[in-house]
Amino acid sequence: GQNIDQPTEMTATEGAIVQINCTYQTSGFNGLFWYQQHAGEAPTFLSYNVLDGLEEKGRFSSFLSRSKGYSYLLLKELQMKDSASYLCAVMDSNYQLIWGAGTKLIIKP
Amino acid sequence: ETGVTQTPRHLVMGMTNKKSLKCEQHLGHNAMYWYKQSAKKPLELMFVYSLEERVENNSVPSRFSPECPNSSHLFLHLHTLQPEDSALYLCASSQDRGGGADTQYFGPGTRLTVL
């Protein structure tokens, strides 16, 4: 079967750095997405990786290793507004998104 | 502002009621999706429409009935639901269906409670 694993919850301190990991086993691979979802709001697109390596976008970076079936989202200079759930999703060979259950990130002052 | 709107935002209904959820996208996209999001579970894809034709139905019970009258609007008709159907129902759209980099954009969801 297809599976996406990410930690259920993480806690970090304002101003610090946090890395949220995602491992996947899917039928084919057509890219990996990270979304942010604040409580009661829509998931919003953060990043897309299809080739190995690091993609940097301001305070957020996303890394992919296809051979390891592994990705991480790196958040730097954490702000209170970064408290949210972070969803990892992989597009399989049928171009269907397979989703993880999300990682709830709690930022403490 | 995501360009995808959903109404209502909250809905409480009894098991014998009939109601409809509405989604509208203002992005000029060709594909639209219904997802179910339950607490601490992955998003579950329910239906996919591409150019107003249903292309996927992921074994969803018949008490959920989608309708896509045009590429900008998507409905989910609900009847004789069960309490376990209580969840957040999310609508999304993407430019097309089938491209690897085709990002999906989500609406804010309808929080459904079935009594």
Side-chain angles (χ1 to χ4, degrees):
Chain A
Q2 307 202 88
N3 194 50
I4 309 285
D5 284 316
Q6 49 182 133
T8 303
E9 187 174 298
M10 298 182 71
T11 302
T13 305
E14 190 177 15
I17 298 173
V18 71
Q19 178 176 310
I20 302 174
N21 296 324
C22 171
T23 58
Y24 63 88
Q25 294 168 314
T26 56
S27 302
F29 179 83
N30 279 301
L32 185 144
F33 294 80
W34 283 97
Y35 281 79
Q36 179 191 60
Q37 186 178 24
H38 285 100
E41 297 183 13
T44 55
F45 169 74
L46 288 178
S47 66
Y48 170 74
N49 294 68
V50 68
L51 300 176
D52 290 352
L54 187 69
E55 296 274 347
E56 297 188 73
K57 222 187 251 188
R59 295 188 299 114
F60 292 8
S61 303
S62 56
F63 172 83
L64 174 67
S65 169
R66 288 172 297 171
S67 62
K68 296 182 179 178
Y70 167 70
S71 172
Y72 67 74
L73 181 69
L74 191 71
L75 291 75
K76 302 176 185 175
E77 300 168 18
L78 285 170
Q79 302 175 9
M80 297 303 292
K81 68 178 181 179
D82 298 328
S83 292
S85 288
Y86 291 85
L87 311 180
C88 174
V90 172
M91 188 164 281
D92 69 9
S93 56
N94 294 319
Y95 295 100
Q96 179 167 317
L97 277 179
I98 310 301
W99 294 85
T103 299
K104 182 178 180 181
L105 178 63
I106 300 168
I107 310 297
K108 295 187 174 180
Chain B
E1 188 66 47
T2 64
V4 181
T5 58
Q6 290 186 244
T7 55
R9 293 294 308 276
H10 301 272
L11 178 62
V12 179
M13 58 187 289
M15 289 191 283
T16 57
N17 292 157
K18 288 185 181 180
K19 297 286 185 184
S20 295
L21 310 185
K22 179 183 175 182
C23 174
E24 184 173 359
Q25 58 97 359
H26 313 274
L27 301 170
H29 288 167
N30 295 318
M32 296 187 77
Y33 310 77
W34 278 118
Y35 284 94
K36 176 183 179 183
Q37 187 176 35
S38 302
K40 300 185 179 179
K41 290 186 178 179
L43 268 70
E44 298 173 46
L45 179 64
M46 300 175 73
F47 300 103
V48 182
Y49 278 82
S50 179
L51 295 171
E52 302 149 43
E53 288 192 22
R54 188 192 303 180
V55 293
E56 278 208 45
N57 171 358
N58 282 8
S59 303
V60 178
S62 59
R63 57 185 184 268
F64 295 91
S65 174
E67 179 189 359
C68 187
N70 55 63
S71 59
S72 298
H73 293 87
L74 186 64
F75 295 89
L76 188 62
H77 304 298
L78 316 171
H79 62 98
T80 59
L81 293 191
Q82 305 298 311
E84 59 264 29
D85 297 322
S86 298
L88 182 68
Y89 288 84
L90 290 164
C91 173
S93 71
S94 64
Q95 184 60 56
D96 293 294
R97 186 178 179 275
D102 211 3
T103 302
Q104 292 182 19
Y105 294 89
F106 285 83
T110 296
R111 173 66 63 185
L112 174 67
T113 302
V114 181
L115 301 176

